[in-house]
Amino acid sequence: MNQVKNKSGFWYHVAAFAMILVWGVSFLNTRVLLDSGLTPTEIFVARFTIAYLSLLVISGFKVKYTGWRDELLFVVCGIAGGSAYFIAENTALKMTLISDVAVLVSTAPLTTALMGAIFYRDERISLLSCVGMIIAFVGSVMLALKHGLVWGDSIVGDMLAVLAAVVWAFYSMALKKLNRTYTTLFITRKLFFYGILSALPLLAMEDSQVQWETIKRPEVWGNLLYLGLVCSMAAYFIWGITVKRIGAVRASNYFYLSPIISMIAAAIWFGERTTAIAYVGCVLILTGVVMAEKFKRKQVA
């Protein structure tokens, strides 16, 4: 019996790693679309619309109102885990290096831990965990100031990547509550719906320059389908199941591999190179995040 359980747990860890691999490479797909002329908001709305319509077909077009309190939590999930997160991340990718965005976004487990300590009494942060957070913060500052104290697109992009990590923590807090009552499929579908809805005002304010000829290019519609079907629909659903099975903390540990995957991929496909200070910052961020998670106290029952 234990052997079967261990084998089952192993495959959930494999699934978690696979999703981090998918998300780590997705930065490159988004960058291709940005270089093709799509805006950060257009990319987000397109990928989430593809994902939402696909899930709607799978779930048989069933729509359910859950009461205003839970519905408000779904709205938070849609904004924090959808529109705010991805628009900030996509904009950051337009302004700075893919590797910078990947590393800074990987601090999401830290912001989630801090948020958990604030909103949930059963979450505790140890002294060594706090030290790890400080190390990661210093690394983030070094990464943002890799070219010196010069205000420009690069530092603004780095700040937007940090903002994405912060709003992801709000998503995680709302998700923790919803996971107790609703299925992963239902939560994911609601997230996509409110993510799209909250981004529409921004989309309406944009002066879109995208032409139909652009959309017809294989590298554009191909990347949109990949982001929508694989990185959004499949990845969010599988990640939700994985978190339920092996726990949020153990699953989030795989986030630390994402920047490494992104940096290698960006160097191969885009020839990205960065400064020595940035590399030191990356090491400090990853060290701090791992340390903070390793020494975080267990949840109090």
Side-chain angles (χ1 to χ4, degrees):
M1 187 73 172
N2 288 334
Q3 188 176 4
V4 174
K5 187 176 180 180
N6 289 336
K7 284 184 179 179
S8 177
F10 168 77
W11 287 113
Y12 286 120
H13 283 279
V14 171
F17 173 76
M19 293 309 97
I20 292 303
L21 184 63
V22 165
W23 282 334
V25 177
S26 70
F27 291 105
L28 279 72
N29 303 100
T30 302
R31 183 61 173 272
V32 170
L33 293 172
L34 288 168
D35 292 344
S36 297
L38 275 71
T39 68
T41 307
E42 287 170 339
I43 295 170
F44 165 73
V45 171
R47 70 180 285 180
F48 261 44
T49 299
I50 293 170
Y52 176 69
L53 292 177
S54 301
L55 279 184
L56 205 59
V57 172
I58 293 172
S59 59
F61 297 94
K62 295 178 181 178
V63 179
K64 179 182 177 183
Y65 176 67
T66 59
W68 72 267
R69 286 187 176 84
D70 283 357
E71 208 68 25
L72 186 60
L73 287 175
F74 284 119
V75 172
V76 172
C77 279
I79 295 175
S83 57
Y85 175 83
F86 280 107
I87 292 173
E89 181 186 278
N90 292 350
T91 306
L93 285 169
K94 195 174 183 179
M95 305 174 79
T96 190
L97 296 175
I98 295 172
S99 52
D100 284 16
V101 178
V103 172
L104 291 170
V105 168
S106 74
T107 60
L110 288 188
T111 59
T112 301
L114 284 170
M115 201 73 70
I118 294 171
F119 288 105
Y120 290 99
R121 292 183 178 180
D122 61 346
E123 297 281 354
R124 297 292 184 270
I125 300 177
S126 69
L127 178 61
L128 286 176
S129 184
C130 288
V131 172
M133 292 180 183
I134 293 172
I135 292 173
F137 175 75
V138 172
S140 299
V141 173
M142 292 181 68
L143 194 62
L145 301 179
K146 57 187 176 295
H147 298 303
L149 190 57
V150 180
W151 186 264
D153 284 353
S154 180
I155 192 170
V156 174
D158 290 341
M159 291 172 67
L160 284 170
V162 172
L163 176 62
V166 172
V167 297
W168 185 266
F170 284 95
Y171 160 67
S172 299
M173 293 303 99
L175 184 63
K176 181 175 180 178
K177 265 187 166 299
L178 293 171
N179 268 335
R180 298 168 182 169
T181 309
Y182 304 100
T183 65
T184 302
L185 179 62
F186 185 75
I187 294 171
T188 306
R189 200 189 74 189
K190 283 275 192 178
L191 182 155
F192 290 153
F193 173 75
Y194 284 116
I196 297 166
L197 197 64
S198 58
L200 289 180
L202 290 175
L203 189 64
M205 289 187 290
E206 289 185 351
D207 181 21
S208 179
Q209 302 296 322
V210 178
Q211 304 293 327
W212 178 244
E213 292 300 320
T214 301
I215 302 296
K216 288 196 300 183
R217 286 157 50 190
E219 66 269 26
V220 174
W221 62 259
N223 278 298
L224 284 175
L225 284 177
Y226 175 76
L227 288 173
L229 297 177
V230 179
C231 299
S232 296
M233 186 194 75
Y236 266 84
F237 180 66
I238 294 172
W239 184 259
I241 294 175
T242 302
V243 167
K244 279 189 175 182
R245 296 295 182 179
I246 66 176
V249 173
R250 295 173 73 188
S252 67
N253 287 335
Y254 287 95
F255 267 106
Y256 312 144
L257 299 175
S258 180
I260 299 172
I261 294 167
S262 298
M263 290 175 74
I264 293 172
I268 293 173
W269 274 284
F270 288 95
E272 283 195 357
R273 296 292 183 272
T274 188
T275 64
I277 292 178
Y279 283 121
V280 174
C282 290
V283 171
L284 288 177
I285 290 172
L286 293 175
T287 301
V289 171
V290 171
M291 182 177 176
E293 284 295 321
K294 180 177 177 60
F295 294 105
K296 187 169 69 175
R297 293 177 187 171
K298 295 181 179 179
Q299 294 184 356
V300 178

